Amino acid sequence: MTFEKTRGYRAFQVVNAVILTGVVVVTLYPFLNILARSFSEERYIVGGQVNLIPRGFNITTYKLVVSDSMFWTNYGNTIVYTVVATAIAMLLTTCYAYVLSKKHLKGRTFLIWVAVFTMIFSGGLIPNYVLVNGLGLTNSIWAIVLPNAISVFNLLVMKAFFEGLPQELEEAAAIDGLNTYGVLWRVVLPLSKAVIATMVLFYAVSFWNSWFTAFLYLNKTDMFPVTIYLRNLIAGATGAESAGASLSEASAAAANIQSVTIMLTVLPILAVYPFVQRYFVSGVMLGAVKG
């Protein structure tokens, strides 16, 4: 009986390894292909000859992008927007989730439904624009930060995590003289590194990749995030190619510019992810184990 179990477990390990290897390959292949295309010449890309290795090594598009001062201005804007928006989002989400985790709170059910309602129903694009414009937030950082300051999904995940913390710890801290804010800052948050790191990653990636909000509320080019800059670059290169532009640099950039923009946008997230990965693994398992 023991031999049968061991053989079955080994078979499971083999099948599991094959499946996970397949998932890794399927996930990694498109990224490596995009990386290769970003360094390849146009004729090889158009001919479908680029796979995992660059053909006709070409950095023309990278030079076009990084030599533009506006690119670095917009890149700096993106960093500022992401840092400020993530900090504000984490502050609001953490406080709201901590409040909702208290089952003795009067009106708790109503507050939960207020949050869930906004996840199901939305005011719509035009009413949101009218509201932001009416508050005088257009062409400012607050048009990027405030409309998406709380993600209800992240809020509910943090609420579930806080509910799983031992109530006795908070009671002991209260007996020692800590008020509500002291308990949250000195007891709850130090025990919540996993969920905090996970939520920071979720928010940061969301704000970093966001372009439509800026496209909607910002009119000044020196306030654009890098995603808008790269979008305009793609549109310009595509338009030049469609119009039969004769400039060799514009023609070369048109074929691989999408790959270059993806690489330039994703690199900062790839650089940050290893530092929060160990917390992220724990965070995504929240609620998976009961008891």
Side-chain angles (χ1 to χ4, degrees), residues 55-280:
R55 300 289 303 275
F57 189 77
N58 168 45
I59 58 174
T60 301
T61 308
Y62 281 103
K63 289 181 178 179
L64 289 174
V65 174
V66 300
S67 63
D68 187 357
S69 60
M70 186 57 67
F71 168 77
W72 295 110
T73 299
N74 294 158
Y75 218 98
N77 291 341
T78 299
I79 295 175
V80 172
Y81 296 160
T82 301
V83 171
V84 174
T86 301
I88 292 178
M90 286 302 302
L91 174 64
L92 297 179
T93 303
T94 301
C95 293
Y96 198 178
Y98 183 66
V99 168
L100 295 182
S101 68
K102 302 306 173 187
K103 297 182 179 180
H104 62 272
L105 178 69
K106 294 182 179 180
R108 174 175 177 266
T109 302
F110 172 76
L111 293 176
I112 293 176
W113 276 108
V114 167
V116 173
F117 182 86
T118 62
M119 184 169 60
I120 301 174
F121 301 100
S122 171
L125 180 62
I126 295 177
N128 284 337
Y129 180 83
V130 171
L131 175 62
V132 172
N133 186 58
L135 293 174
L137 301 179
T138 53
N139 286 318
S140 71
I141 185 177
W142 307 117
I144 307 296
V145 173
L146 296 182
N148 302 305
I150 294 182
S151 166
V152 179
F153 173 79
N154 294 345
L155 173 70
L156 296 179
V157 170
M158 291 197 75
K159 166 183 167 294
F161 182 88
F162 290 151
E163 287 177 342
L165 294 176
Q167 186 65 30
E168 292 77 10
L169 292 177
E170 298 186 37
E171 293 175 352
I175 293 176
D176 289 338
L178 291 179
N179 57 21
T180 301
Y181 297 103
V183 172
L184 174 62
W185 181 256
R186 302 181 63 177
V187 177
V188 175
L189 294 185
L191 297 174
S192 307
K193 292 180 179 178
V195 71
I196 290 175
T198 303
M199 295 301 104
V200 167
L201 182 63
F202 283 175
Y203 275 123
V205 171
S206 175
F207 286 118
W208 182 272
N209 292 331
S210 176
W211 69 273
F212 186 70
T213 303
F215 180 76
L216 195 63
Y217 299 126
L218 301 181
N219 299 321
K220 300 178 180 178
T221 56
D222 59 344
M223 295 190 65
F224 286 166
V226 71
T227 48
I228 295 295
Y229 175 90
L230 299 178
R231 173 196 172 275
N232 294 338
L233 197 62
I234 292 175
T238 304
E241 185 181 38
S242 299
S246 58
L247 293 176
S248 59
E249 287 190 346
S251 178
N256 67 344
I257 194 168
Q258 292 188 16
S259 301
V260 171
T261 56
I262 291 174
M263 294 305 304
L264 291 174
T265 303
V266 78
L267 281 178
I269 299 299
L270 291 179
V272 172
Y273 180 78
F275 296 99
V276 298
Q277 186 268 343
R278 64 193 182 102
Y279 297 112
F280 179 73

